[in-house]
Every structure is written in structure tokens, then in C-alpha cells.
Amino acid sequence: MKKVRTALLGFGNVGCHVVEALETAPDMVLAGIVLPDPDERSRACHALKDVSVVSSLERLTAVDIAILAVPSRCVPEIAPSVLSRGIATVDCFDMHGEPLSRLRACLDAAAKEAGTVAVTAAGWDPGTDSTARTLMEIVAPRGVTYTNFGPGMSMGHTVVAKACEGVADALSLTLPEGWGLHSRHIYVKLKEGYAFDEVTAKIACDPYFVHDRCSFFPCDDIKAIADSGHGVRMERLGSSGATSNQRLVFSMTVDNPAATGQVLVSSARAAMRQKPGCYTVPEIPPIDFLFGDREQLLKRLV
Amino acid sequence: MKKVRTALLGFGNVGCHVVEALETAPDMVLAGIVLPDPDERSRACHALKDVSVVSSLERLTAVDIAILAVPSRCVPEIAPSVLSRGIATVDCFDMHGEPLSRLRACLDAAAKEAGTVAVTAAGWDPGTDSTARTLMEIVAPRGVTYTNFGPGMSMGHTVVAKACEGVADALSLTLPEGWGLHSRHIYVKLKEGYAFDEVTAKIACDPYFVHDRCSFFPCDDIKAIADSGHGVRMERLGSSGATSNQRLVFSMTVDNPAATGQVLVSSARAAMRQKPGCYTVPEIPPIDFLFGDREQLLKRLV
């Protein structure tokens, strides 16, 4: 069996779990890690043995697919250039307020021109949760689905809070209020010379936070409260045909970056099985994400 | 928009919900109902207005797809002959103990030869539950999934119990014991001249019942206890990459034949979007089952 040679771009919270997920995938192999920043490279070299850590993708040979474990904001810039070299991409793009459709159209054009595949927004939400929402509508097409996140640390929101001027460190917890509404508790360690109320007022205005009830707490030791557990509970109240009271729930509690890293790796496998173009998770046959003989998988799962 | 002309074969518990699901599908239309039995035809004519009820599929014109709302045991006989006429099929085949692979291979050959599509085992279990099980493995590839059914009436088990010699009427309830184990309560109304213990011993030996703890109860009025609610709770204890304690749950409580009828109709839509061949539900992109503009669906669901 020829293994899928996978490059990893980025080695943060998600990236290190991508490495672990690749190690447990019998059909995939890590070709190397791409980190333009020298400090990040030395950190990755220190953490991993027998892994090529390089400054650019060209320094790796015979790469089939690149997993972009980079901030969402960097995906629209990085993915097209990777695709243009005929290398497939998988990303976990998640830009609150930013439409996915523009990125999807851009990646679709780039992928088709190079005869390769992009899988985008392939984390757990957006990603596998998107398929769960779709699945619930197959059974009950009319109705309302409520997506309740948490309790747990939101990585995206934490990144935004940390990036705010005057913030030395931060952590944003997502707390479900039920029926799709959330509150957020944001713990903030300030840089010297900044005022708590001014800094937190700025965070509250960011598109990531503006729709939710936010409470801010000063905190001098963010590491002491950090836990990467997270979860979701999606409920659909709907009808099948003329019949009401069909009730569906999909829920999970997970280590957040581990789940994201695994979905990226599962999606890389699925990418190798699609025709050229860009796909989101619910546009791909679910069975394509799994390792193993198709007949045996269907015997077990159907 | 050209609507998908759909023939319905069978008009039992599931069939009448297929009619209702088709009525709520903006892109589909009921071409007619096929019932070889004259008594069934007159019953269907009585129940429905402005619907063609015919004795054979040839009597309907320009049929795109046939939904087989017939007992599972009849699917292997009926589906290939429909496919051979270039008409797609959807069935909710569910044969306990009988491998799906043989039927799938047979339908795949028939569908490809005629350049059409078969979707098989397209109810809620097997069917949408199969996709839910697959989805949970995308997030957590190592681990165990427990499928717990009920509480509710099993239509398949009820049909088997009713078919047993000496049984005038019967109803089989599936009761979850947790962790994938079930008990069954079977209510039996005997024909005159039969012994309760002998008849129920025979039912208990059927492949549908032989693996479960069965309790039998005499019942003179089966209709008085019949309720078509059912449910499932699937739990996965698994790992993402090297990270344990990933916990996923998919559950629902539904009107059973209404859910099956709706999944059949959603699957008929999906069938029209696949290349020739035979598919189970997890082999089809989930988005293909839904009505609506692709971009709008993705915007809402991803």
C-alpha cells in the first residue's frame, strides 16, 4: 500500500495533534513540517524526532497533500499557492462573520486548474458538525436545529482576545445558555499600563464576540485555568413528511485540538478519493474519511 | 424545475408516510402507486384522492425512480427488474442476519448495466444511523460504538412474529438494556387451537430474535397497545489520534414509519444525483439528500 505523503503547515495546538493522528493512520505518513519561522522550527525539532522540519513546502519531496494547521485568517493566502503546485490541501477554516463561499469558490477554481482537491472548513465545527446538521435534516427536513457549544475553551475566540492591544494573555470560555445562545467568560491578563475596562470593551466589539453575552475577568495566570476540553450539543425539533415531534440530538465532549487534528487527517484521506475541486465535509461521502476495506467498513457500519 | 417522478411500490405503514413526505418535497411528485393485489389497490384508492393506483409499474409513464416500500424479503426480487428498465430504485432493506453485501453487489451490477442508480438500506437504521456511526469514527477512529434501540415497536420484528404459524396478531417492543444490548417484549394474540408456549418458542428461534432476551405476553387486543414511536441512542467511546476520552452521542426519538418514509424520499432525491451504481447511505454526500440551492444549504449548514 502506497501511503499518502502528508505535509503539515503549522505546529501549534492543532498541528501537534495532526502529527499524532497521522501516526495512528496506517495509510498515511508525515512527509515533514513546514514552518517559515526559525524559532518555531527549532521548537518543532526539539519536540519531534526523525521528522523533517523545513522552511518551505518546496523542500519536501513527493508531497500528496498539505494539512494547513494555521490560523483561519492565513488560509485564503496559503491554500491557493499550495494547490497551484498540484498538491491537495485540507484546512479547518473557521472565520466568524466571514462567508465561506468566497474561499470555497477561490479554492475550487485553484484546485480544478491544477487537477487537485481542496477540503475546506474541515474541523469539528465547521466540519463534522456540519454533516451532523445535514444528517438531521435528511430525517426531518422541516424544523429548527439548535447548536449549543461548550462548556469549553474556544480557540478562535481566545486567539482574537489575545491579539487585542494591551492583552498579555487571555482565555475565552464558551458556555451554553441553551437553544443556540451562549455566554462567554473571557479571562484577561493585561500588559502594564492598560486599563481593564478599555481593553475588554474593545474585545467585546470584535465580530467574534459582538453577538454573545460577554463577562470579563482579570486573571494573572492564564495557564493555570487552561483546559482544552470542549463540546457541542445539537438538537433538532422537526418533522418527517406530515409527522411532527421528530427529535434528534448529536452531542460530544472532546479534547478540542485533538478532535480538530483528527478530522483534518481523516479529511486528508477523503481528499485523495475525490475528483478535482473544493469540498466541505457534508459534500463528501462519509465513508471516504475512514481507513479500511470498503466492504468490511460497510458490513460493520451499515 | 422538472420534478422527479416517483413511483411508490407498497402502501403499508411506510408507504403511506412516503406519500406524505413526497407531498412536502417541492422537487418531487408521486407518479403513482403500484400494488399487484386488487384488495390493496382498492384500499389505497379509498385512502387517497387524485393518485394513480395501478397493478404494475409499466402502467405508469415517465417514472424516474421507484421507492420500494415493501418487506425487506421482497427487495432482492423486485429491485433488479425495476433497475433493468432504467428506473432508479430506493429501498429500506433491513434483513437481520442476512448480509447486505450480496444484495448490494447484485443491485450494483443491475444499476450499472442499465445506467441507473440504486440506493439500498435507506431507512433510519440501516440508513441515516449508518452515517452517524461513520461520522463518529471520522472524529474518533479508535473506539467502540454502542447502538441502543428503543423503547419502541420494531416493525421488522413485529412482521416476523405475526408471520409465525398460530399467531393471529402480534407486536414486538424493543427495549434498550444499555451498551448495545436489548430485550424484547413480544405481545401475542393466538389463533384458536394453538398453545402459547409452543408458538412463542418458535418465534424466539427466529434469527430476528435469537440473540436477544425475549419475554412473551398474551394480548387479546394488539391495536390497543400499538404505538409507532421508536428511538435510538448511539454512543461512541473513542480516541482522536493519541487522545482518549472523546465521547460522542447521536440519539433520536421518532415516529418510526414516518422517519423511514422521509429517509426513503430524501434518498430518492440523492439517487438522482449519483453516477450509475448501488449506494448505501454513508456512500453518498450528505448534502445530496437535501432540497435547495447548494450554496444556500452550505451557508446554513456548514
Side-chain angles (χ1 to χ4, degrees), chain A residues 140-163:
Chain A
R142 275 181 304 131
V144 179
T145 300
Y146 299 93
T147 299
N148 305 289
F149 292 112
M153 182 177 86
S154 164
M155 299 177 69
H157 290 80
T158 294
V159 166
V160 168
K162 277 166 113 167

Side-chain angles (χ1 to χ4, degrees), chain B residues 107-169:
Chain B
L107 299 190
D108 195 57
K112 281 177 176 157
E113 190 172 322
T116 187
V117 171
V119 179
T120 192
W124 60 267
D125 201 315
T128 45
D129 278 4
S130 314
T131 293
R133 282 187 284 270
T134 305
L135 185 62
M136 295 195 281
E137 296 201 8
I138 296 172
V139 181
R142 274 181 306 130
V144 179
T145 300
Y146 300 92
T147 300
N148 305 289
F149 292 111
M153 182 178 86
S154 165
M155 298 175 70
H157 290 79
T158 294
V159 166
V160 168
K162 277 167 114 167
C164 194
E165 197 194 331
V167 174
D169 203 357

Side-chain angles (χ1 to χ4, degrees), chain A residues 104 137 246 295 300, chain B residues 104 137 246 255 295 300:
Chain A
R104 193 166 148 271
E137 296 202 8
Q246 307 290 72
E295 290 299 322
R300 186 163 58 76
Chain B
R104 192 166 148 271
E137 296 201 8
Q246 308 289 72
D255 178 294
E295 290 299 322
R300 184 163 59 76

Side-chain angles (χ1 to χ4, degrees), chain A:
Chain A
M1 177 179 62
K2 196 191 162 293
K3 295 193 177 190
V4 177
R5 279 181 60 82
T6 309
L8 171 61
L9 279 61
F11 190 64
N13 278 327
V14 170
C16 64
H17 284 96
V18 168
V19 173
E20 292 181 347
L22 283 172
E23 278 168 2
T24 62
D27 54 338
M28 308 187 74
V29 64
L30 179 61
I33 304 180
V34 180
L35 297 167
D37 182 78
D39 291 348
E40 285 191 30
R41 279 204 300 282
S42 62
R43 194 173 60 82
C45 286
H46 194 77
L48 301 167
K49 306 212 183 307
D50 304 322
V51 172
S52 304
V53 180
V54 298
S55 59
S56 72
L57 188 54
E58 297 93 277
R59 293 178 179 269
L60 299 174
T61 54
V63 170
D64 298 306
I65 191 159
I67 293 179
L68 313 188
V70 299
S72 283
R73 292 170 198 234
C74 305
V75 170
E77 189 195 316
I78 296 173
S81 78
V82 176
L83 291 167
S84 71
R85 282 182 218 141
I87 295 171
T89 62
V90 182
D91 66 69
C92 51
F93 182 82
D94 175 20
M95 285 279 262
H96 296 241
E98 189 76 15
L100 176 64
S101 58
R102 201 187 314 159
L103 175 65
R104 193 166 148 271
C106 162
L107 299 190
D108 194 57
K112 281 176 177 158
E113 189 171 323
T116 187
V117 171
V119 179
T120 192
W124 59 267
D125 201 316
T128 44
D129 278 5
S130 315
T131 292
R133 282 186 285 270
T134 304
L135 186 62
M136 293 195 284
E137 296 202 8
I138 295 172
V139 182
R142 275 181 304 131
V144 179
T145 300
Y146 299 93
T147 299
N148 305 289
F149 292 112
M153 182 177 86
S154 164
M155 299 177 69
H157 290 80
T158 294
V159 166
V160 168
K162 277 166 113 167
C164 193
E165 196 193 332
V167 174
D169 203 358
L171 186 152
S172 178
L173 278 184
T174 305
L175 302 165
E177 292 189 344
W179 310 114
L181 300 181
H182 301 88
S183 60
R184 300 190 185 278
H185 288 191
I186 304 105
Y187 296 83
V188 178
K189 182 183 177 178
L190 288 182
K191 286 179 182 165
E192 258 182 64
Y194 284 89
F196 188 77
D197 288 353
E198 285 173 22
V199 169
T200 58
K202 253 189 227 164
I203 297 174
C205 292
D206 190 279
Y208 266 63
F209 291 97
V210 74
H211 300 295
D212 303 321
R213 190 149 64 93
C214 294
S215 305
F216 293 91
F217 304 91
C219 176
D220 283 339
D221 188 357
I222 296 290
K223 279 186 180 60
I225 60 164
D227 163 67
S228 60
H230 210 322
V232 69
R233 180 183 165 85
M234 290 181 281
E235 299 183 66
R236 184 161 182 83
L237 315 178
S239 299
S240 306
T243 304
S244 297
N245 198 31
Q246 307 290 72
R247 299 290 178 256
L248 301 96
V249 177
F250 180 85
S251 67
M252 58 183 202
T253 65
V254 289
D255 178 293
N256 185 357
T260 305
Q262 180 63 64
V263 175
L264 282 167
V265 169
S266 300
S267 299
R269 175 182 299 119
M272 303 312 293
R273 296 168 173 174
Q274 308 310 308
K275 299 239 163 72
C278 178
Y279 301 80
T280 55
V281 174
E283 294 175 275
I284 298 175
I287 203 76
D288 285 357
F289 292 82
L290 301 188
F291 168 73
D293 174 71
R294 176 69 56 108
E295 290 299 322
Q296 291 301 316
L297 285 173
L298 293 177
K299 194 175 173 183
R300 186 163 58 76
L301 293 165
V302 175

Side-chain angles (χ1 to χ4, degrees), chain B residues 46 56 84 97 117 227 235 241 255:
Chain B
H46 195 76
S56 72
S84 71
V117 171
D227 163 67
E235 299 184 66
D255 178 294

